[in-house]
Amino acid sequence: TLCSFTHSGYAQLSRYSNPKELFANFQDKDVTWLLGFISYIALLSCMSFSIVIKDEHLSRQLFEFERVLNKDP
């Protein structure tokens, strides 16, 4: 889970150690997934903010940005 990955859970600790040493060992797919997840959290936060301040132009821009992010390559 995300909590396990970020708050010293098994998912995080297993990437920082083995029986002999401590090190960082994150696979590219894990970093890519986490960056994508964080990007969507940031986007949702911005969308919520645009609603609170009643900025329809910003809401439309963010919606369009989300559509571009969701396109398959």
Side-chain angles (χ1 to χ4, degrees):
T1 66
L2 182 60
C3 189
S4 177
F5 191 75
T6 59
H7 294 291
S8 299
Y10 174 77
Q12 185 185 45
L13 294 176
S14 67
R15 289 170 173 79
Y16 276 105
S17 65
N18 67 25
K20 296 180 182 179
E21 62 185 337
L22 292 173
F23 56 91
N25 183 26
F26 293 93
Q27 295 181 4
D28 288 345
K29 69 181 178 92
D30 294 331
V31 173
T32 301
W33 177 85
L34 188 58
L35 290 173
F37 181 79
I38 291 169
S39 295
Y40 275 107
I41 295 295
L43 182 62
L44 288 173
S45 296
C46 290
M47 287 179 153
S48 296
F49 183 71
S50 72
I51 292 168
V52 168
I53 65 171
K54 298 178 181 167
D55 188 334
E56 188 175 330
H57 178 69
L58 178 58
S59 295
R60 290 179 190 274
Q61 286 181 315
L62 291 166
F63 182 75
E64 183 59 33
F65 182 69
E66 190 275 334
R67 281 181 8 125
V68 170
L69 281 180
N70 247 348
K71 278 188 179 178
D72 290 331

